[in-house]
Amino acid sequence: MLLSGFPRVSLAHLPTRLEFLPRLTEHLGGPEIWVKRDDCTGLATGGNKTRKLEFSMGEALARDADTIITVGAVQSNHVRQTAAAAARLGMRCEVLLEHRVGKPSDIYLQSGNVLLDRILGANLREYPKGTDFDAVMAELAGEVQAAGGTPYIIPGGASNPVGALGYVGCAEELLQQCDEQDVAFDHVVLASGSAGTHAGLTVGLRASGSDMPVLGIGVNVPRAAQEAKVYDLAVATAEYLGRAGCVVRDDIVADCNYVGPGYGEPTAGMNEAVLMLARREGLLFDPVYSGKALAGMIDYIRAGRFEPGQKIVFLHTGGVAGLFAYADTLTIG
């Protein structure tokens, strides 16, 4: 086991299912399409951050922390899951919300993940886009200490080597399921944002001896910046794991042609993809991350970049709560 010896707390419902999508496969007329159901990790509607939080919160407990400090966009799935983890473990949760989306509606600002954050008892503080959050979190940690508390800072998306361990574990789990279900994949596709899921999964595959290609579909920054971010974190994670050198630069691929106008801004491709999966497979995907990654995968199939005879697995990172925040911008026919 790659993860033995690291502090960890049980939060996720694991293993998540690996499922074939027959109606989507038939509809697109390309490769076999499968889905890894990390939307079903079970913590406050689930999602990929729960795997990461098992290690982040494990380290926090090992350090006797009583207050979690983290950051995310207004409709952050990471913030919602962190708030839930803190509540479950009896810890305070201080949240810094960044206003990344221009001209947000009242629905966006009050529903979806934000509503759940408040229900879960997180203390929400709001900041403009571009704030130096490392500095603000450090300042807040100082305030917690001055008041007699013990803070633990989790970066956005839990995307550091500690959090990325969650997706090292996911890679091991996926490979075991491939053996059990007698299936071999030509590609794994996932949304690539704060980089921890993309980096951790790649490290886990390579450290396990798998050369399965990983395609990240970027949801925020241009390709060069995204690939550099993922690679740097993958290198740091491999070193933290004790497997330095298992990932090379060519292992990291992020196609950022599906971002659209910007982070969290709807696109026609995302809208089509969300409705396609809902109406053909009964699966719900979010507008910010998994919906745009699906749009990228669907475009790859239509363009012949993924071919008939291949097998593709899409990593569903969750985020269904975010759909409610986009109720006034999605086009639902």
Side-chain angles (χ1 to χ4, degrees):
M1 294 291 291
L2 294 171
L3 300 174
S4 59
F6 293 98
R8 184 176 188 176
V9 61
S10 178
L11 296 171
H13 298 175
L14 302 177
T16 60
R17 287 175 59 89
L18 177 64
E19 301 176 347
F20 175 51
L21 301 181
R23 283 174 46 76
L24 182 66
T25 297
E26 180 182 13
H27 176 69
L28 292 174
E32 281 189 17
I33 305 170
W34 293 61
V35 62
K36 176 69 170 157
R37 296 292 307 275
D38 271 23
D39 58 316
C40 297
T41 54
L43 186 64
T45 77
N48 62 320
K49 303 306 188 291
T50 303
R51 286 189 190 267
K52 298 180 180 184
L53 288 165
E54 290 202 330
F55 293 91
S56 300
M57 300 301 280
E59 185 172 87
L61 290 174
R63 296 184 181 182
D64 295 322
D66 55 25
T67 303
I68 300 298
I69 301 171
T70 197
V71 60
V74 170
Q75 283 294 332
S76 169
N77 298 310
H78 160 70
V79 165
R80 180 244 310 156
Q81 288 163 86
T82 302
R88 182 165 173 177
L89 297 171
M91 306 168 84
R92 291 175 55 203
C93 187
E94 296 286 343
V95 170
L96 286 60
L97 291 181
E98 180 181 13
H99 285 272
R100 294 183 196 168
V101 175
K103 299 180 180 179
S105 67
D106 287 342
I107 291 176
Y108 180 88
L109 294 173
Q110 301 297 330
S111 69
N113 284 306
V114 176
L115 174 62
L116 297 182
D117 296 341
R118 293 191 174 111
I119 290 172
L120 292 162
N123 183 38
L124 307 182
R125 306 163 184 245
E126 300 184 25
Y127 298 84
K129 181 178 181 180
T131 296
D132 183 348
F133 285 103
D134 288 340
V136 176
M137 287 194 291
E139 180 181 349
L140 180 54
E143 293 175 8
V144 172
Q145 288 175 317
T150 304
Y152 181 85
I153 294 174
I154 300 178
S159 288
N160 60 5
V162 175
L165 292 178
Y167 274 84
V168 172
C170 181
E172 291 187 291
E173 182 180 296
L174 175 61
L175 293 173
Q176 181 177 346
Q177 289 174 316
C178 288
D179 288 342
E180 293 170 350
Q181 296 180 224
D182 193 23
V183 58
F185 293 110
D186 296 284
H187 293 274
V188 55
V189 181
L190 75 163
S192 187
S194 61
T197 302
H198 191 170
L201 187 73
T202 305
V203 170
L205 290 171
R206 299 299 177 266
S208 299
S210 171
D211 62 357
M212 187 189 307
V214 179
L215 172 63
I217 303 296
V219 299
N220 191 5
V221 299
R223 178 170 185 164
Q226 184 64 21
E227 289 187 347
K229 179 167 64 172
V230 176
Y231 178 65
D232 288 348
L233 182 52
V235 169
T237 301
E239 291 176 351
Y240 186 64
L241 189 66
R243 298 299 181 96
C246 69
V247 172
V248 299
R249 179 61 184 81
D250 287 348
D251 288 322
I252 306 302
V253 179
D255 188 332
C256 298
N257 291 318
Y258 304 92
V259 175
Y263 174 87
E265 300 288 350
T267 66
M270 174 279 295
N271 199 103
E272 180 198 19
V274 167
L275 294 183
M276 185 184 298
L277 269 291
R279 295 174 180 182
R280 294 193 177 271
E281 295 289 356
L283 296 178
L284 298 175
F285 291 79
D286 85 291
V288 179
Y289 296 95
S290 58
K292 288 187 177 180
L294 276 175
M297 183 189 73
I298 291 167
D299 188 56
Y300 267 55
I301 293 170
R302 287 170 170 167
R305 300 177 72 178
F306 292 152
E307 302 173 357
Q310 291 186 320
K311 292 182 174 63
I312 310 299
V313 57
F314 185 89
L315 178 60
H316 189 344
T317 50
V320 64
L323 279 171
F324 299 97
Y326 286 80
D328 57 346
T329 56
L330 288 170
T331 304
I332 304 174

